[in-house]
Amino acid sequence: MIFDSYEAYKQAGFKPKACILGSGPAGTTIARKLGAAGIPVVVLEAGSREFSDESQDFYRGTTVGDYYFDLDITRLRFMGGSSNHWAGWCRVLDRQDFEPKAWAPDTGWPISRADIEPFLAEVRDILELPAFRPDVQVSDDIRWVQLIKSPAVRFAEKFADELDKSGNIAVVLNTYATELMGDGKRVTGAKLWSNGQDAGIFTADYFVTCTGGLENSRLLLWSNQRSNGGVVPNATALGRYWMEHPTFEGGNAILANYSEFQVDASNEAFFSPTPAAMERLQILNFGIRVIESPYPNVKRLIADLACTAPNMAEWMSAQLDQRLHCAAQLYVAWEQAPLASNQIELSRTDVDHAGVPRIELHWKKSPLERRTLLEGLKLFGATLAQKNLGRVRIDEWISNGGDYPNNEETAGHHHMGGTRMGTDVLKSVVDANCKVHGMDNLYVGGSSVFCTSGQCNPTTTITALACRLGEHLGKVIAV
Amino acid sequence: MSSFMKRISRRAIVQALIALPALSLFRNQPAVVDPDEIIEVNGWILRRSDLA
């Protein structure tokens, strides 16, 4: 069932056991799991079926620190959430992304990759993915990694009919919770806002916030402030350890034979460090995206190389006669160190139309990440040279410690952390089952529970965690 | 003839002359260049053999 307003929903007399806030990949997946288990669930979606400026305006905010995207363009507030603009790139976090690293404080999850692997077949079905392929070790330091370019499932498009026909799932559009109310043990209700006005208080046995990697923190921070700590009793880490995937062009490469790189249909290939290399160099995970360059770039690069390494340039020139596909741009995206100082705060001066403080995002890249960027490119360059697969040139601003350019991709629009998973209540917000510490009936879905970011796009892992949470919650509610 | 030369035998002089070439073993050897060594020049990650 899909309703366009809370008023219409109320008239239907639906009695849900659980309330999910948000209809993006996490919210929709959890709702479908609960619905399939025979559990009545309501999904509150703040936006409508389509994009609107009025709805997006609720997402405006400010960023303090490094340059970042405007907060109202880096996510979408309508049915299907940010799945409406994602690129569809898919990969699950690596095994080592879940493990603590002695050289990077506050890393490590309370679960391992094995805990989400049982759900990957389901994830493939939801995201329409081919089989996952194992990594291929290229050298002791570098591995080829699969990054699937999927059809970019728009969750509203794909599941609207199913949700509409479901007797167990009610989706209420143009409706959301401005705040949750709680007594330090349970969420006792949610103050609703529907179609631009106060819609009263809503109650359910269970609440799951799936409003996104920025908005989950905002909702819980505001709710906790209003209820004097009654919604997140252990709130030290709330809003903190926020992460992105910084992304910049890192250099170029001249490649002897591009076909050796297991390129995908877009003529791109992806590489990451081996766990041993990360440990030896004490760096974080990263992904190097190799993109074939047009032929004129090859000539320019070889002219540059000739000044430095005439022997190599001569050999490459000879190769050019036979094969033109041998120059590439290198883009690097990397894992961000989880830092408590990278955090979502509530603005003290600016509120949205419903009176909820807007987000003030504090975000800076760390020296460890800067070293990861440089050492990562060096590792990749050394592997290509050792294997005689090609040669890499690192951009000058990286080699010389220059400022990050502000005319590039900057980051991946991947919002992670803020309500991270863990066992230490001082450094986490939810437990291994995504339940808020100290609360009996409040859960969090989505990338805000990520403890570390890994290097890959988060939607696949978000969906796997949502399948896991949906299954867990189904058992909890059924008892 | 110096008093030093008077004190050593002709045999010892001949032995010393024979041993002279071996002294080169103790000279500083030029570093052995590994053509596969990975080096960084002007931002390029290269093998040493790439250089002219």
Side-chain angles (χ1 to χ4, degrees):
Chain A
M1 297 167 280
I2 299 179
F3 302 91
D4 286 324
S5 70
Y6 185 59
E7 277 304 311
Y9 164 78
K10 275 200 299 188
Q11 288 168 17
F14 187 67
K15 302 288 182 199
K17 294 286 282 183
C19 174
I20 296 171
L21 308 173
S23 69
T28 298
T29 301
I30 295 167
R32 291 181 68 240
K33 291 286 283 188
L34 293 178
I39 294 168
V41 55
V42 61
V43 179
L44 304 183
E45 167 51 52
S48 64
R49 293 172 198 258
E50 302 290 340
F51 175 94
S52 77
D53 289 332
E54 292 77 12
S55 183
Q56 279 307 119
D57 185 77
F58 283 82
Y59 277 172
R60 278 196 296 112
T62 55
T63 304
V64 178
D66 287 350
Y67 167 77
Y68 193 61
F69 311 113
D70 290 342
L71 299 186
D72 58 335
I73 62 122
T74 191
R75 54 206 172 128
L76 289 172
R77 192 174 182 271
F78 65 101
M79 189 176 173
S82 292
S83 77
N84 288 299
H85 71 173
W86 77 304
W89 292 14
C90 289
R91 179 176 171 80
V92 188
L93 287 178
D94 293 331
R95 178 184 51 77
Q96 63 270 19
D97 292 329
F98 290 87
E99 294 170 355
K101 296 166 188 67
W103 61 94
D106 298 324
T107 49
W109 294 50
I111 62 173
S112 70
R113 194 178 191 278
D115 289 302
I116 60 170
E117 281 171 354
F119 302 96
L120 294 186
E122 208 171 338
V123 170
R124 281 181 53 207
D125 186 47
I126 293 168
L127 299 179
E128 301 174 18
L129 307 180
F132 294 114
R133 292 170 55 191
D135 301 343
V136 178
Q137 192 145 338
V138 181
S139 68
D140 290 344
D141 297 330
I142 293 291
R143 62 202 155 101
W144 171 89
V145 295
Q146 180 197 33
L147 203 147
I148 300 169
K149 311 278 183 61
S150 78
V153 166
R154 312 295 183 212
F155 276 65
E157 264 177 43
K158 178 166 180 174
F159 297 112
D161 276 354
E162 177 188 320
L163 296 172
D164 204 17
K165 289 172 184 161
S166 171
N168 288 329
I169 303 172
V171 178
V172 188
L173 302 174
N174 305 301
T175 303
Y176 75 105
T178 54
E179 71 180 77
L180 300 174
M181 299 173 296
D183 59 10
K185 287 287 182 188
R186 296 180 62 80
V187 170
T188 53
K191 289 188 179 175
L192 296 194
W193 186 268
S194 183
N195 282 314
Q197 56 189 352
D198 186 342
I201 292 173
F202 175 83
T203 57
D205 291 348
Y206 294 88
F207 285 84
V208 189
T209 67
C210 302
T211 58
L214 286 158
E215 210 64 12
N216 274 348
S217 291
R218 180 191 183 195
L219 171 65
L220 294 179
L221 282 165
W222 177 237
S223 300
N224 219 33
Q225 186 173 313
R226 298 276 289 172
S227 64
N228 295 317
V231 173
V232 184
N234 304 288
T236 307
L238 180 57
R240 295 182 178 274
Y241 302 99
W242 192 81
M243 299 164 288
E244 246 281 12
H245 289 131
T247 307
F248 290 89
E249 185 173 352
N252 304 90
I254 302 176
L255 307 173
N257 186 351
Y258 199 53
S259 62
E260 289 187 44
F261 284 81
Q262 300 199 53
V263 296
D264 61 21
S266 315
N267 263 337
E268 297 181 2
F270 295 84
F271 299 88
S272 287
T274 60
M278 288 169 63
E279 184 167 0
R280 188 182 81 246
L281 294 170
Q282 306 211 328
I283 57 175
L284 299 168
N285 205 348
F286 61 83
I288 293 181
R289 175 184 172 200
V290 180
I291 309 176
E292 185 186 6
S293 293
Y295 179 53
N297 288 353
V298 189
K299 291 198 288 190
R300 197 184 69 235
L301 272 176
I302 290 181
D304 180 22
L305 179 63
C307 302
T308 303
N311 284 357
M312 184 65 198
E314 189 178 339
W315 181 77
M316 277 295 175
S317 297
Q319 295 292 308
L320 268 182
D321 288 340
Q322 300 154 23
R323 193 179 297 278
L324 303 181
H325 295 171
C326 62
Q329 290 169 288
L330 307 178
Y331 284 84
V332 191
W334 62 87
E335 175 180 13
Q336 199 163 26
L339 299 177
S341 56
N342 281 339
Q343 67 178 116
I344 295 159
E345 288 185 354
L346 298 176
S347 170
R348 292 177 180 82
T349 56
D350 198 9
V351 298
D352 66 19
H353 295 307
V356 178
R358 294 186 186 277
I359 286 175
E360 186 176 281
L361 174 65
H362 295 252
W363 185 60
K364 280 189 85 66
K365 296 178 282 292
S366 71
L368 173 56
E369 294 160 47
R370 187 61 191 239
R371 199 161 59 75
T372 296
L373 169 63
L374 177 60
E375 294 299 331
L377 282 164
K378 284 182 178 178
L379 276 185
F380 185 61
T383 287
L384 292 200
Q386 282 160 357
K387 302 282 180 185
N388 225 19
L389 294 170
R391 299 295 183 270
V392 163
R393 189 193 66 181
I394 300 174
D395 277 352
E396 196 175 340
W397 69 270
I398 299 172
S399 300
N400 297 344
D403 292 338
Y404 285 100
N406 57 10
N407 59 345
E408 293 194 20
E409 287 188 44
T410 299
H413 299 279
H414 304 154
H415 316 135
M416 299 163 285
T419 67
R420 68 198 313 244
M421 188 188 285
T423 52
D424 182 350
V425 297
L426 296 176
K427 294 189 171 185
S428 62
V429 174
V430 302
D431 65 15
N433 289 319
C434 299
K435 186 169 74 66
V436 172
H437 293 307
M439 297 294 282
D440 292 337
N441 67 341
L442 178 58
Y443 291 78
V444 180
S447 52
S448 63
V449 306
F450 282 23
C451 301
T452 55
S453 66
Q455 62 83 21
C456 66
N457 305 50
T459 302
T460 321
T461 307
I462 290 171
T463 309
L465 285 169
C467 288
R468 181 174 176 268
L469 173 54
E471 190 152 304
H472 171 76
L473 204 50
K475 290 174 185 165
V476 169
I477 296 173
V479 171
Chain B
M1 187 177 287
S2 70
S3 59
F4 171 74
M5 291 299 286
K6 287 178 186 170
R7 284 202 299 274
I8 59 173
S9 66
R10 287 179 62 187
R11 180 182 177 84
I13 292 169
V14 170
Q15 283 178 329
L17 288 172
I18 291 170
L20 270 178
L23 291 176
S24 66
L25 292 174
F26 300 99
R27 284 206 309 243
N28 285 336
Q29 293 292 314
V32 176
V33 175
D34 176 3
D36 294 333
E37 182 189 3
I38 301 299
I39 55 171
E40 189 179 339
V41 186
N42 295 337
W44 285 96
I45 310 294
L46 303 168
R47 283 181 171 193
R48 186 168 288 285
S49 58
D50 294 337
L51 305 177

